[in-house]
Each structure stands twice: as C-alpha cells, then as structure tokens.
Amino acid sequence: MERGTQNDTKKGEKREADTQVDLALIKADPDKLYPVIYYALKKTLADWAQWMDERPESVKRTNQGKIAAATQVQSGEYLKPLFKQLRARSLAPDVLARIAEIVHYMQKRQYQRANDAYLRLSIGNAPWPIGVTMVGIHERSAREKISTDLVAHVLNDEVSRKYIQSLKRLLTFSQTKYPPEDSSQLMG
C-alpha cells in the first residue's frame, strides 16, 4: 500500500511539473504551450471551485458569499471559449504569448509581473490603447508617433473580453490562496 502512495505522489509531482509554463516555448515550440496552459488554468479553476465549496455555510449564505459563488461560476463559463481555442491550438501568437506570461508568473507567484502581462494583453502597449489618434481639432506634427498598430483589438470582441476578465479573476484568486513570499510581488 505504501508503494502505491509513493507512485501516486510521483505521478502528482510529474503532473505538477508538466503544468509549469516555460516562457522559452513561446519562440521555440508554441504548440507545446497550449496543453500546459490549458491544464494549468483548469487546475486553478478547480482550486477556486474547491476553495469556494470549503467555505463555511454561514459565509456561503451571505449576500457577498452568493455573489462570490456566482462570480466563480461565471468565470468558468467565460473561460470555456479560451479552453476551446487552447484545445484547437487556434490562439493568435501574441495572445498566446501574453496568456503564457500570465500563467507563468502566476505559477511563480510573481503577481505584479502577471498583472503587467494581463495589462499588455487587455489594453496593449499603445499610448492610446482604445484607438484614439485624433485628439484635437488640428493636425499635429507628432500625430504619426501615436501608433495605431498597437491598439488592443482583443477587447473589441465580447467573447475574448470576457475570458480576459476571467483570467484576471483567476489571477486575483491565485494571489489570495497562494500569496507570494515577497510582498512586493502583490498586484495592486
């Protein structure tokens, strides 16, 4: 019986190692990232569901407890399209890279960096992330410096907006359940 327990422990450790996102794969072999991200996010979602179930009944019955439960269920629903794209390996390369960064830093408990990757995914790096290029009534000499190619088109799609928002919720839950050793890694 003890031997079976050791094997189960080794399998659990192997499964845990298999779900660690390696950022080198973004350029080397992005196809290997899809299942790793998929299982890492599924595990975090399952952890969240278990954490919600383990709350005392008195907490579950409060208004705030019911809202938290509904948010968790809603996040699971909103992540389904992302899981479908991960299984089909059909994410845009830049979106895959940002999600890989989010999951990688979340696993390493570097929530500040994960949040930075989330912001790059959701609003991009553009100085005017929502596409505003004409800010005055006159043509400006530096107008061409305001880039239109760095606009976050991800948020234009309602489905992707919802799963990106749910990724942020997973990140927040993960920070709550698995706080970093260094408090400077907490996201604001």
Side-chain angles (χ1 to χ4, degrees):
M1 183 121 167
E2 190 175 307
R3 175 166 250 189
T5 307
Q6 283 180 329
N7 285 340
D8 290 344
T9 304
K10 286 181 183 177
K11 285 179 186 175
E13 289 171 2
K14 184 179 183 329
R15 214 174 296 122
E16 194 70 30
D18 289 345
T19 59
Q20 292 294 318
V21 173
D22 180 9
L23 292 181
L25 290 175
I26 292 173
K27 291 190 178 174
D29 193 0
D31 274 350
K32 287 186 179 176
L33 275 176
Y34 286 100
V36 176
I37 292 171
Y38 176 86
Y39 288 114
L41 291 176
K42 280 285 196 179
K43 180 187 178 308
T44 306
L45 196 57
D47 285 352
W48 191 10
Q50 181 182 357
W51 188 71
M52 296 296 282
D53 287 342
E54 291 172 354
R55 296 178 304 160
E57 281 298 318
S58 60
V59 173
K60 289 180 185 178
R61 291 184 185 183
T62 64
N63 222 10
Q64 197 170 7
K66 290 177 183 176
I67 291 170
T71 300
Q72 188 270 328
V73 170
Q74 182 185 55
S75 295
E77 288 296 314
Y78 285 175
L79 283 168
K80 284 183 179 178
L82 175 62
F83 291 140
K84 187 176 180 181
Q85 287 181 329
L86 286 168
R87 280 194 309 269
R89 298 171 192 249
S90 61
L91 278 175
D94 56 335
V95 174
L96 177 66
R98 294 299 83 74
I99 291 175
E101 281 182 49
I102 292 169
V103 174
H104 172 78
Y105 291 126
M106 184 171 67
Q107 289 174 333
K108 296 227 176 269
R109 298 182 185 184
Q110 296 176 346
Y111 299 110
Q112 188 67 47
R113 287 183 175 184
N115 192 50
D116 291 345
Y118 161 77
L119 289 173
R120 282 195 307 278
L121 173 65
S122 60
I123 62 173
N125 259 348
W128 297 91
I130 55 173
V132 178
T133 58
M134 295 298 292
V135 292
I137 58 172
H138 302 292
E139 184 72 25
R140 304 275 189 228
S141 62
R143 182 201 172 299
E144 55 276 354
K145 291 182 184 169
I146 299 176
S147 58
T148 55
D149 58 335
L150 297 174
V151 173
H153 297 291
V154 172
L155 291 180
N156 293 344
D157 175 20
E158 188 70 15
V159 173
S160 58
R161 183 193 63 77
K162 287 178 178 179
Y163 72 66
I164 289 170
Q165 181 182 29
S166 295
L167 275 175
K168 174 67 171 176
R169 289 175 177 167
L170 278 181
L171 192 57
T172 304
F173 159 73
S174 193
Q175 178 177 275
T176 303
K177 184 162 184 191
Y178 309 108
E181 292 173 14
D182 180 12
S183 63
S184 69
Q185 292 300 321
L186 289 170
M187 59 183 177

